[in-house]
Amino acid sequence: MPPTDPALADELVATIRKWVADVVIPGASEYEHADEYPEPFVEQMKAFGLFGARIAPEHGGLGLDTLTYARLMEELSYGWMSLAGVLNTHMIAATLIERHGTAEQRSRWLPGMTLGEPRAAFSLSEPDAGSDTQAIRCRAERDGAEYILNGTKMWVTNGERAGLVALAARTPEGITCFIVEKEPGPEYQGITTSRRIAKLGYKGLETVEMTYTDHRVPAANVLGGEEWLGRGLHLILGSLELGRINIAARAVGVARAAYDASMRYVHQRETFGVPIHQHQAIQFKLADMATKLEASKLMVRSAAERFEAGERADVEAGMAKLFCSETALELATEAMRIHGGYGYTSELPIERYFRDAPLMIIGEGTNEIQRIVIARGLLKRWAEANPS
Ligand SMILES: Cc1cc2nc3c(=O)[nH]c(=O)nc-3n(C[C@H](O)[C@H](O)[C@H](O)COP(=O)(O)OP(=O)(O)OC[C@H]3O[C@@H](n4cnc5c(N)ncnc54)[C@H](O)[C@@H]3O)c2cc1C
């Protein structure tokens, strides 16, 4: 994608920031505590064009570069992290199709996806295959011009509302990526929501287990065409780099919200006759929080720029995801300490930051797996730069 005009990027970010301040922040806690899908928010996100944020203008999208996309994800997450989750699986699927789909696949799905019709889910994980993606058991068997899907996929975020699922399944050649079309809802031609997963945070949007029983997919829905049979994991792992940048940007949004709430509170709350920002213990917390927040922003920028350049960004995206998510967890915890007992109540959003932040150390590959990815990438680059 060509770089987004900086003035346009700033304008978009300012528009979303204002909407988040005026509409999302006042309403998020009610939806979140009720675990209710924020339909009006999602409709407005569609109207802003966010479902097509990274899809090229030739398909009707905004064609934003990765950095601008990341900045928008940060703004949404500043108001409520789940809103970035509504878009993340959609954008991973759209990126897979845009980067690797055939011309026919791109023109068939991308124009609708820019409008959020259909919305997309991304389905790699299974009950016994999370970090260990090679353990995938969902299988696709060829039958004439179709494949028959059987198996169980776990943790399908947006799965029920999706009309399209980018799905990894085992074929005789290896792991293959299929684009599965379905009607939104719990039941469609052998695709069943077999379990709705109750979560600590990341509420308002569904994460479900989905079972496939003899569901038929046209062979034409193999991502990239049949020459990509058995090589789907390679495509998926590349797109997960975008997912990891999304998680890192989300983490910055949550961390910034926790920091700003803390900064406000230290001016309001007095103990021992002075505002608590006059206590050095609190000042040290603020200093550490602001430092890590600043570093996180720079890491998102670095990862986004590398991904945008079309280079393998596994190291940078992994580093950003690792550092920013740990920072979000730390800042949410520090914000709770700073707010004392009030931080522990459901009257303030601090407890939400505290419940939402842990998702980001797990989702899109746990932080243990990020360390493996980073180390492997660093060693490979070293070996390439220093051939023996
Ligand atoms: C709310 C939520 C939404 C999600 N949404 C989606 C989605 O939309 N689509 C999707 O496909 N997936 C989704 N996931 C799945 C997510 O990507 C996995 O949970 C994650 O990859 C970890 O897999 P696991 O839960 O099976 O943990 P496991 O792989 O079982 O790991 C358990 C522990 O062992 C550690 N571990 C595992 N292997 C190693 C190793 N080699 N070395 C060191 N430590 C290791 C892990 O770091 C972790 O601490 C979602 C998860 C959650 C919680």
Side-chain angles (χ1 to χ4, degrees), residues 367-386:
N367 281 0
E368 290 74 22
I369 295 299
Q370 299 311 309
R371 287 183 171 92
I372 295 172
V373 170
I374 295 164
R376 204 177 279 155
L378 291 174
L379 291 167
K380 183 164 174 273
R381 287 184 195 175
W382 175 269
E384 282 164 5
N386 300 279

mmCIF file of all heavy atoms in Angstrom, residues 367-386:
data_model
loop_
_atom_site.group_PDB
_atom_site.id
_atom_site.type_symbol
_atom_site.label_atom_id
_atom_site.label_comp_id
_atom_site.label_asym_id
_atom_site.label_seq_id
_atom_site.Cartn_x
_atom_site.Cartn_y
_atom_site.Cartn_z
ATOM 1 N N ASN A 367 3.184 -14.780 24.580
ATOM 2 C CA ASN A 367 4.465 -14.065 24.622
ATOM 3 C C ASN A 367 5.658 -15.016 24.740
ATOM 4 O O ASN A 367 6.775 -14.655 24.349
ATOM 5 C CB ASN A 367 4.445 -13.025 25.751
ATOM 6 C CG ASN A 367 3.685 -11.784 25.298
ATOM 7 O OD1 ASN A 367 3.195 -11.733 24.161
ATOM 8 N ND2 ASN A 367 3.589 -10.787 26.161
ATOM 9 N N GLU A 368 5.412 -16.231 25.228
ATOM 10 C CA GLU A 368 6.495 -17.235 25.209
ATOM 11 C C GLU A 368 6.816 -17.572 23.743
ATOM 12 O O GLU A 368 7.990 -17.649 23.338
ATOM 13 C CB GLU A 368 6.073 -18.511 25.960
ATOM 14 C CG GLU A 368 5.960 -18.349 27.480
ATOM 15 C CD GLU A 368 4.727 -17.576 27.921
ATOM 16 O OE1 GLU A 368 3.746 -17.510 27.156
ATOM 17 O OE2 GLU A 368 4.744 -17.025 29.038
ATOM 18 N N ILE A 369 5.770 -17.750 22.958
ATOM 19 C CA ILE A 369 5.971 -18.068 21.533
ATOM 20 C C ILE A 369 6.609 -16.875 20.814
ATOM 21 O O ILE A 369 7.456 -17.051 19.930
ATOM 22 C CB ILE A 369 4.625 -18.484 20.878
ATOM 23 C CG1 ILE A 369 4.110 -19.790 21.509
ATOM 24 C CG2 ILE A 369 4.754 -18.606 19.360
ATOM 25 C CD1 ILE A 369 5.020 -21.005 21.355
ATOM 26 N N GLN A 370 6.227 -15.646 21.201
ATOM 27 C CA GLN A 370 6.871 -14.471 20.563
ATOM 28 C C GLN A 370 8.377 -14.508 20.772
ATOM 29 O O GLN A 370 9.156 -14.198 19.876
ATOM 30 C CB GLN A 370 6.337 -13.146 21.132
ATOM 31 C CG GLN A 370 4.853 -12.898 20.949
ATOM 32 C CD GLN A 370 4.374 -13.131 19.539
ATOM 33 O OE1 GLN A 370 4.939 -12.621 18.581
ATOM 34 N NE2 GLN A 370 3.339 -13.940 19.403
ATOM 35 N N ARG A 371 8.788 -14.889 21.992
ATOM 36 C CA ARG A 371 10.241 -14.924 22.274
ATOM 37 C C ARG A 371 10.931 -15.945 21.373
ATOM 38 O O ARG A 371 12.046 -15.724 20.901
ATOM 39 C CB ARG A 371 10.488 -15.241 23.751
ATOM 40 C CG ARG A 371 10.142 -14.074 24.667
ATOM 41 C CD ARG A 371 10.459 -14.397 26.127
ATOM 42 N NE ARG A 371 10.330 -13.224 26.960
ATOM 43 C CZ ARG A 371 9.211 -12.869 27.611
ATOM 44 N NH1 ARG A 371 8.130 -13.618 27.519
ATOM 45 N NH2 ARG A 371 9.175 -11.770 28.327
ATOM 46 N N ILE A 372 10.231 -17.067 21.129
ATOM 47 C CA ILE A 372 10.808 -18.084 20.240
ATOM 48 C C ILE A 372 10.924 -17.519 18.820
ATOM 49 O O ILE A 372 11.958 -17.645 18.153
ATOM 50 C CB ILE A 372 9.935 -19.367 20.251
ATOM 51 C CG1 ILE A 372 9.965 -20.012 21.638
ATOM 52 C CG2 ILE A 372 10.394 -20.351 19.176
ATOM 53 C CD1 ILE A 372 9.001 -21.172 21.815
ATOM 54 N N VAL A 373 9.856 -16.856 18.364
ATOM 55 C CA VAL A 373 9.834 -16.287 17.010
ATOM 56 C C VAL A 373 10.931 -15.226 16.867
ATOM 57 O O VAL A 373 11.668 -15.194 15.871
ATOM 58 C CB VAL A 373 8.444 -15.659 16.709
ATOM 59 C CG1 VAL A 373 8.458 -14.852 15.418
ATOM 60 C CG2 VAL A 373 7.371 -16.744 16.649
ATOM 61 N N ILE A 374 11.045 -14.370 17.881
ATOM 62 C CA ILE A 374 12.044 -13.290 17.822
ATOM 63 C C ILE A 374 13.452 -13.883 17.769
ATOM 64 O O ILE A 374 14.272 -13.523 16.914
ATOM 65 C CB ILE A 374 11.898 -12.349 19.049
ATOM 66 C CG1 ILE A 374 10.556 -11.613 19.009
ATOM 67 C CG2 ILE A 374 13.054 -11.349 19.114
ATOM 68 C CD1 ILE A 374 10.147 -10.980 20.341
ATOM 69 N N ALA A 375 13.721 -14.819 18.674
ATOM 70 C CA ALA A 375 15.074 -15.396 18.735
ATOM 71 C C ALA A 375 15.408 -16.115 17.426
ATOM 72 O O ALA A 375 16.518 -15.950 16.879
ATOM 73 C CB ALA A 375 15.176 -16.363 19.913
ATOM 74 N N ARG A 376 14.438 -16.876 16.921
ATOM 75 C CA ARG A 376 14.676 -17.614 15.663
ATOM 76 C C ARG A 376 14.980 -16.634 14.521
ATOM 77 O O ARG A 376 15.908 -16.825 13.740
ATOM 78 C CB ARG A 376 13.429 -18.435 15.348
ATOM 79 C CG ARG A 376 13.682 -19.618 14.472
ATOM 80 C CD ARG A 376 12.404 -20.405 14.275
ATOM 81 N NE ARG A 376 12.106 -21.295 15.379
ATOM 82 C CZ ARG A 376 10.885 -21.721 15.693
ATOM 83 N NH1 ARG A 376 9.835 -21.301 15.030
ATOM 84 N NH2 ARG A 376 10.703 -22.545 16.705
ATOM 85 N N GLY A 377 14.206 -15.561 14.461
ATOM 86 C CA GLY A 377 14.389 -14.566 13.400
ATOM 87 C C GLY A 377 15.731 -13.867 13.523
ATOM 88 O O GLY A 377 16.428 -13.638 12.531
ATOM 89 N N LEU A 378 16.102 -13.541 14.761
ATOM 90 C CA LEU A 378 17.391 -12.855 14.967
ATOM 91 C C LEU A 378 18.552 -13.750 14.557
ATOM 92 O O LEU A 378 19.498 -13.303 13.898
ATOM 93 C CB LEU A 378 17.544 -12.471 16.453
ATOM 94 C CG LEU A 378 16.613 -11.365 16.967
ATOM 95 C CD1 LEU A 378 16.771 -11.204 18.477
ATOM 96 C CD2 LEU A 378 16.890 -10.038 16.258
ATOM 97 N N LEU A 379 18.460 -15.027 14.929
ATOM 98 C CA LEU A 379 19.552 -15.956 14.595
ATOM 99 C C LEU A 379 19.661 -16.151 13.090
ATOM 100 O O LEU A 379 20.760 -16.215 12.536
ATOM 101 C CB LEU A 379 19.337 -17.296 15.318
ATOM 102 C CG LEU A 379 19.519 -17.206 16.849
ATOM 103 C CD1 LEU A 379 18.991 -18.464 17.541
ATOM 104 C CD2 LEU A 379 20.995 -16.986 17.210
ATOM 105 N N LYS A 380 18.497 -16.187 12.433
ATOM 106 C CA LYS A 380 18.498 -16.363 10.967
ATOM 107 C C LYS A 380 19.150 -15.145 10.301
ATOM 108 O O LYS A 380 19.995 -15.275 9.422
ATOM 109 C CB LYS A 380 17.050 -16.534 10.498
ATOM 110 C CG LYS A 380 16.880 -16.795 9.034
ATOM 111 C CD LYS A 380 15.457 -17.330 8.778
ATOM 112 C CE LYS A 380 15.181 -17.479 7.298
ATOM 113 N NZ LYS A 380 14.686 -16.276 6.675
ATOM 114 N N ARG A 381 18.743 -13.971 10.768
ATOM 115 C CA ARG A 381 19.326 -12.752 10.173
ATOM 116 C C ARG A 381 20.838 -12.689 10.415
ATOM 117 O O ARG A 381 21.599 -12.258 9.558
ATOM 118 C CB ARG A 381 18.647 -11.502 10.763
ATOM 119 C CG ARG A 381 17.239 -11.317 10.234
ATOM 120 C CD ARG A 381 16.621 -10.037 10.749
ATOM 121 N NE ARG A 381 15.176 -10.038 10.533
ATOM 122 C CZ ARG A 381 14.365 -9.104 10.968
ATOM 123 N NH1 ARG A 381 14.836 -8.085 11.664
ATOM 124 N NH2 ARG A 381 13.071 -9.160 10.736
ATOM 125 N N TRP A 382 21.236 -13.113 11.608
ATOM 126 C CA TRP A 382 22.674 -13.117 11.924
ATOM 127 C C TRP A 382 23.422 -14.052 10.975
ATOM 128 O O TRP A 382 24.459 -13.702 10.408
ATOM 129 C CB TRP A 382 22.888 -13.551 13.384
ATOM 130 C CG TRP A 382 24.337 -13.687 13.740
ATOM 131 C CD1 TRP A 382 25.106 -14.813 13.650
ATOM 132 C CD2 TRP A 382 25.212 -12.650 14.216
ATOM 133 N NE1 TRP A 382 26.402 -14.558 14.042
ATOM 134 C CE2 TRP A 382 26.495 -13.231 14.396
ATOM 135 C CE3 TRP A 382 25.034 -11.305 14.507
ATOM 136 C CZ2 TRP A 382 27.582 -12.501 14.860
ATOM 137 C CZ3 TRP A 382 26.131 -10.581 14.971
ATOM 138 C CH2 TRP A 382 27.374 -11.166 15.132
ATOM 139 N N ALA A 383 22.851 -15.251 10.785
ATOM 140 C CA ALA A 383 23.508 -16.238 9.918
ATOM 141 C C ALA A 383 23.583 -15.717 8.478
ATOM 142 O O ALA A 383 24.590 -15.925 7.786
ATOM 143 C CB ALA A 383 22.760 -17.562 9.973
ATOM 144 N N GLU A 384 22.549 -15.019 8.037
ATOM 145 C CA GLU A 384 22.551 -14.486 6.669
ATOM 146 C C GLU A 384 23.600 -13.373 6.509
ATOM 147 O O GLU A 384 24.258 -13.262 5.474
ATOM 148 C CB GLU A 384 21.165 -13.935 6.311
ATOM 149 C CG GLU A 384 20.179 -15.054 5.950
ATOM 150 C CD GLU A 384 18.725 -14.595 5.981
ATOM 151 O OE1 GLU A 384 18.460 -13.385 6.190
ATOM 152 O OE2 GLU A 384 17.865 -15.473 5.802
ATOM 153 N N ALA A 385 23.728 -12.567 7.581
ATOM 154 C CA ALA A 385 24.683 -11.452 7.503
ATOM 155 C C ALA A 385 26.120 -11.905 7.730
ATOM 156 O O ALA A 385 27.059 -11.194 7.393
ATOM 157 C CB ALA A 385 24.302 -10.385 8.538
ATOM 158 N N ASN A 386 26.283 -13.073 8.338
ATOM 159 C CA ASN A 386 27.627 -13.568 8.659
ATOM 160 C C ASN A 386 27.815 -14.990 8.141
ATOM 161 O O ASN A 386 27.972 -15.931 8.923
ATOM 162 C CB ASN A 386 27.832 -13.559 10.186
ATOM 163 C CG ASN A 386 27.702 -12.166 10.756
ATOM 164 O OD1 ASN A 386 28.633 -11.369 10.701
ATOM 165 N ND2 ASN A 386 26.538 -11.871 11.314
#
